[in-house]
Amino acid sequence: MSALSATLRAPVRLPPMPGEAAAAETCPPIAMARARLAGGRLAFLDPDGFARAARHGFFLLEIPDGLDLAPGDRFVRHFHRPAETGPLAGYTGYRDAPAPGPYEGYFDRPHDQWENFYIERRHWRMIPPDVARMGAAMAEAGIAILRAVLDRVGIPVGEFGRLTGRLTDGGGHRMLAFNHFRPDKPVRGSKFHRDSGWVTVLRSTEPGLLAWIDGALCAVDPEPGHLIVNFGSAMEVLTEATATPIRANIHGVVRTERPQAAARVSYVVFLDSDLDQDIWRWRPGGPERLQSVADFAVQEVGRTYDADDANL
């Protein structure tokens, strides 16, 4: 991607990704803001909660009523295993699943402990129905958060659909991603990166996620009964000229150092605009088109998985 790209940010110098034991000793946890969704409305528990979430790029969301995460917890521990019959039929065998679309399917990351299975909403028929229902509920929670944040920074409701590639109107890109970190690979857990889209809703039950905050590596630790929400680059670009810019924080996963049977897992819903839509910046006079989402994705996603440890 050309250095003239209107969305390409200045390089950030990062320290090497530490291992699990070193991170536990040297990376203090951030005090994340806490919020809950009720009736589609996002409420932060502290008066400064939204400001902290905007600055950190992360916050804790109380698991919404009725959201059953058990199917995802089951799927993420088994998707990478050879196909089985019986109780695990449908939850295994995804290493050999066909890639149904761009950025989808099984990935064995050569530079990371990561192995992933990515599947977009239009192809959720490939996964067990209970996992698909869970993904839909996680996505709806994320879209409610997106609408609340856009409203909070002063963007008119009538512009939500255009600016988010119709994500707020029932369209858009909704990707489930399941992550298994293999301790037997002596490499980083995952590269430091920014998510490319609007909102990411993360289910994680173990420490290991780090973020670059205020010039230091800090732990983004899970909390029982909560999901972790973080903002992506599309949100940062759109809001950077508003009175409350939302940060897309640089983050990554430590090298997991434990027995293989206790490998770290996590899963997310990524919420993005479709590739045929546009990236915008909101200015006092209205929206400014900057780039196609397709070009933005090449720029942002391509450097998430390469061998370079620098975040460019």
Side-chain angles (χ1 to χ4, degrees):
M1 181 57 58
S2 167
L4 298 178
S5 166
T7 60
L8 192 63
R9 282 146 296 186
V12 177
R13 283 287 189 191
L14 297 170
M17 176 66 74
E20 195 166 25
E25 293 181 359
T26 61
C27 301
I30 60 169
M32 277 186 285
R34 295 167 181 262
R36 64 168 61 99
L37 278 171
R41 300 181 64 85
L42 181 67
F44 284 88
L45 275 59
D46 297 318
D48 69 339
F50 180 73
R52 275 195 289 144
R55 183 170 66 86
H56 290 160
F58 290 90
F59 68 91
L60 290 167
L61 178 71
E62 186 178 299
I63 296 173
D65 290 342
L67 174 55
D68 180 11
L69 297 170
D73 293 352
R74 188 183 192 196
F75 189 90
V76 76
R77 295 215 170 265
H78 298 97
F79 76 90
H80 51 88
R81 291 169 49 177
E84 299 182 21
T85 58
L88 289 178
Y91 292 83
T92 54
Y94 288 89
R95 282 193 180 198
D96 301 318
Y103 305 108
E104 294 184 79
Y106 172 81
F107 299 90
D108 182 355
R109 308 294 181 185
H111 311 295
D112 306 282
Q113 290 181 325
W114 245 348
E115 62 179 337
N116 325 97
F117 181 68
Y118 285 11
I119 187 78
E120 208 275 330
R121 172 178 58 161
R122 73 196 70 185
H123 299 128
W124 285 356
R125 64 185 180 278
M126 290 177 59
I127 59 178
D130 56 356
V131 180
R133 287 192 294 272
M134 181 206 70
M138 290 177 68
E140 288 307 316
I143 291 168
I145 291 166
L146 172 59
R147 295 181 65 90
V149 171
L150 296 182
D151 182 66
R152 188 78 175 255
V153 302
I155 293 175
V157 173
E159 293 281 5
F160 287 6
R162 174 167 62 145
L163 299 178
T164 66
R166 304 301 166 191
L167 180 63
T168 56
D169 296 342
H173 192 75
R174 309 174 191 205
M175 182 87 83
L176 271 169
F178 298 89
N179 309 305
H180 176 239
F181 298 86
R182 293 161 289 180
D184 58 307
K185 291 184 70 176
V187 292
R188 65 197 182 192
S190 79
K191 182 182 174 180
F192 286 115
H193 63 282
R194 298 176 179 93
D195 291 351
S196 62
W198 295 104
V199 173
T200 301
V201 182
L202 165 67
R203 166 65 164 173
S204 177
T205 60
E206 302 174 75
L209 180 62
L210 303 182
W212 184 247
I213 296 175
D214 298 332
L217 286 180
C218 299
V220 181
D221 289 342
E223 182 75 20
H226 293 75
L227 300 165
I228 297 173
V229 175
N230 68 284
F231 299 117
S233 294
M235 181 78 84
E236 181 173 89
V237 170
L238 179 68
T239 64
E240 63 188 357
T242 69
T244 310
I246 309 298
R247 187 175 185 186
N249 220 314
I250 296 168
H251 59 280
V253 177
V254 301
R255 183 175 66 254
T256 304
E257 302 165 328
R258 60 179 79 170
Q260 182 68 24
R264 188 180 191 277
V265 296
S266 66
Y267 56 93
V268 305
V269 167
F270 294 121
L271 299 172
D272 298 81
S273 300
D274 280 325
L275 292 175
D276 61 355
Q277 298 295 311
D278 296 309
I279 296 293
W280 303 84
R281 178 181 292 128
W282 186 261
R283 295 192 177 279
E288 173 192 10
R289 182 193 177 278
L290 299 180
Q291 195 175 18
S292 73
V293 172
D295 285 346
F296 187 69
V298 171
Q299 171 184 291
E300 298 296 310
V301 176
R303 58 187 176 169
T304 299
Y305 306 108
D306 65 22
D308 186 359
D309 283 325
N311 194 286
L312 303 179

